[in-house]
Amino acid sequence: MNDSYLIKGGKPLKGEIILSGAKNVALKTIIGALMFKGDVILKNIPRINDVLDLIELIKSLGAKAEFIDKNTLSINADNLKNNQVELQYGSKIRVSFMLFAPLLYRFGECFVPNPGGCRIGARPIDRIINGLVALGIKVDYNSETGYYHAKIINKPRGYYRFEKPSHTGTELLMLIGLMTDEKVVIDNIANEPEIDDLILYLNSAGANILEEKNKITVKKSPGLKQKNTFTIMSDRNELVTYATLAVASHGNVAISPIDENLIASFLEIMKETGAAIEKITDNKFRFFYQDGIKPVNIETSPHPGFMTDWQPSWAILMLMANGSSVIHERVFENRFSYVEELKKLGAKIDFVDVKVENPEFFYHFNFEKERLYKQTIKIQGGAELHNAVLNIFDLRAGAALACAALLVRGESVVNGASILERGYEDFVGKITKLGGDIKKV
Ligand code: EPU
């Protein structure tokens, strides 16, 4: 299997990118579709590895799913027959734990494997399991098999407050809320726009979900049935990958379709670098290089802040800056797998210690006092870079490494293409259209 990219870098990338649908909405709308009666038609579903794997998973449960054109997926789960997620899928697809919702809805009990280790930190689901229990679901964990057994004794109801917000946690508990005969209230929720898109999808099919600032209330909802096909939003993470690459390569790339409000924190920080951003139409922006790149420090945080998914791309832009900058990761532990790889290109990056008051509150993962964390890097921009062989260990880091290889002269090999392609549709095609020299080997 061809799982590497051969990249000849050093050219400014120029042209146009049409964004694909958002991975982090596609996955949830597919899982949500298992709670619908009849056919569900989803448009703008990206053909990425995570989606293709999830489709295999839902088929293993008895659902029908097929692409009826390039990005339109048709799903029918009327004959769902299996309430156990097989380990082979659970270990591959992290969001498979969101299947608690449709499987409980359809069968009243289910068996779901612990999503286990992950390359961007431990990523436990403790808050999410606590939420299920708080809403009245019985959950047992078998540490020998690694499976959760969840069962509905009484219909879910009540109140749960996330100690710290969780994106997929908010979404899962909201889906659980669709089973209530009374009311489910989820507090201190995550606010990512991808969650809003999921709410739009469910409410347009009859759900009764109300989102206020930090709270979601789900009232008794009739069975879900799709009235109109649903088109999922564009991928904001993809936008950031190509926008930073455009500027870092001294290029010029127009990107659409995107709603300005969804990328406000990115646009604001991008402007600070001196990059040019031209609003071509309401949903189309051009990003281009002009007069150098100023170093800008960032700190990641959940929406509406600077997203954690964007920081590896930011590191690539900062490699090209005139001076040093700092990236402080607050959301996940261990999200700097790209650092050692970038050093192979000659990048000057060091981990630095930053004193944080009240780290238990400041960091969004479960902070342990005794552990040593590496949450901050300092990048010395402007270092002489050269080609190298790089290895991808996680999705967003992967995109950053492929982009870094596109910036340096000479031929680089980037191993682990299938990890990048878990989240980027037609990466090779899109880069080639921008004039980049990349092929799968
Ligand atoms: N956390 C816990 N316990 C929990 C839940 C979360 O400790 O029960 C921790 C996580 O380990 C993390 C922090 O809380 O340190 C925030 O996690 P969150 O649950 O919000 O993240 P997620 O739902 O696992 C989703 C996206 C991520 C994106 C984050 C932040 C999906 C499938 N994944 O992850 O996307 O970075 O929200 O918006 O929606 C990606 O696309 O590459 C990606 C990682």
Side-chain angles (χ1 to χ4, degrees), residues 23-25 27-28 50 94-95 97-98 120-130 162 164-171 190 192 194 236-237 301-303 307-309 330-333 335 363-366 394-396 422-423:
K23 167 178 83 77
N24 291 344
V25 178
L27 297 171
K28 310 354 167 6
D50 269 7
R94 209 194 118 72
V95 285
F97 67 82
M98 284 189 68
I120 53 172
R123 291 182 89 177
I125 57 167
D126 53 331
R127 297 173 205 156
I128 298 167
I129 298 295
N130 291 344
F162 279 102
K164 293 178 184 180
S166 162
H167 177 160
T168 41
T170 299
E171 293 169 330
E192 271 73 27
E194 288 76 11
R236 302 184 297 146
N237 299 327
S301 64
H303 187 77
M307 292 271 296
T308 168
D309 300 306
R330 293 175 61 196
V331 179
F332 288 107
E333 47 183 314
R335 210 166 190 183
Y363 293 116
H364 290 261
F365 48 86
N366 301 337
D394 80 70
L395 165 59
R396 303 294 164 202
R422 278 180 38 209

Side-chain angles (χ1 to χ4, degrees), residues 124-350:
I125 57 167
D126 53 331
R127 297 173 205 156
I128 298 167
I129 298 295
N130 291 344
L132 292 176
V133 173
L135 299 183
I137 291 162
K138 187 173 180 304
V139 187
D140 295 306
Y141 183 61
N142 182 334
S143 55
E144 271 174 32
T145 60
Y147 266 84
Y148 289 101
H149 174 204
K151 195 167 179 172
I152 295 203
I153 310 288
N154 296 302
K155 289 280 177 79
R157 57 189 277 271
Y159 172 89
Y160 179 67
R161 184 176 200 285
F162 279 102
E163 196 189 319
K164 293 178 184 180
S166 162
H167 177 160
T168 41
T170 299
E171 293 169 330
L172 171 61
L173 295 191
M174 187 168 87
L175 291 177
I176 293 285
L178 297 175
M179 292 173 236
T180 191
D181 273 342
E182 299 167 37
K183 192 165 79 171
V184 158
V185 179
I186 317 156
D187 207 348
N188 198 22
I189 56 165
N191 281 305
E192 271 73 27
E194 288 76 11
I195 303 174
D196 300 340
D197 217 33
L198 183 63
I199 295 176
L200 208 63
Y201 162 66
L202 297 168
N203 279 349
S204 69
N208 207 339
I209 303 170
L210 176 72
E211 186 185 15
E212 291 154 292
K213 197 170 178 307
N214 275 322
K215 208 191 262 183
I216 281 176
T217 303
V218 191
K219 290 195 183 145
K220 187 170 165 53
S221 303
L224 299 181
K225 183 134 184 50
Q226 197 175 44
K227 295 181 190 94
N228 301 105
T229 58
F230 185 77
T231 304
I232 68 166
M233 65 184 267
S234 298
D235 199 308
R236 302 184 297 146
N237 299 327
E238 204 192 6
L239 175 132
V240 169
T241 300
Y242 292 114
T244 46
L245 178 61
V247 177
S249 71
H250 295 199
N252 183 329
V253 177
I255 309 181
S256 64
I258 191 75
D259 175 341
E260 183 171 0
N261 297 319
L262 307 187
I263 50 164
S265 60
F266 172 69
L267 293 179
E268 199 177 301
I269 301 221
M270 194 68 171
K271 278 181 197 149
E272 289 181 31
T273 68
I277 306 172
E278 180 196 344
K279 187 168 174 177
I280 303 172
T281 64
D282 262 358
N283 70 359
K284 186 168 182 172
F285 292 84
R286 181 188 305 285
F287 297 87
F288 55 100
Y289 173 86
Q290 60 176 16
D291 299 337
I293 300 167
K294 292 190 198 107
V296 180
N297 300 340
I298 57 148
E299 195 176 276
T300 65
S301 64
H303 187 77
F306 191 97
M307 292 271 296
T308 168
D309 300 306
W310 303 342
Q311 62 90 343
S313 293
W314 197 253
I316 302 313
L317 182 62
M318 290 299 104
L319 285 179
M320 300 292 138
N322 316 313
S324 63
S325 59
V326 170
I327 297 182
H328 196 154
E329 171 61 50
R330 293 175 61 196
V331 179
F332 288 107
E333 47 183 314
N334 200 17
R335 210 166 190 183
F336 287 117
S337 72
Y338 58 84
V339 168
E340 287 312 308
E341 298 305 305
L342 289 179
K343 284 185 181 170
K344 295 179 185 167
L345 299 170
K348 294 207 164 67
I349 308 183
D350 293 304

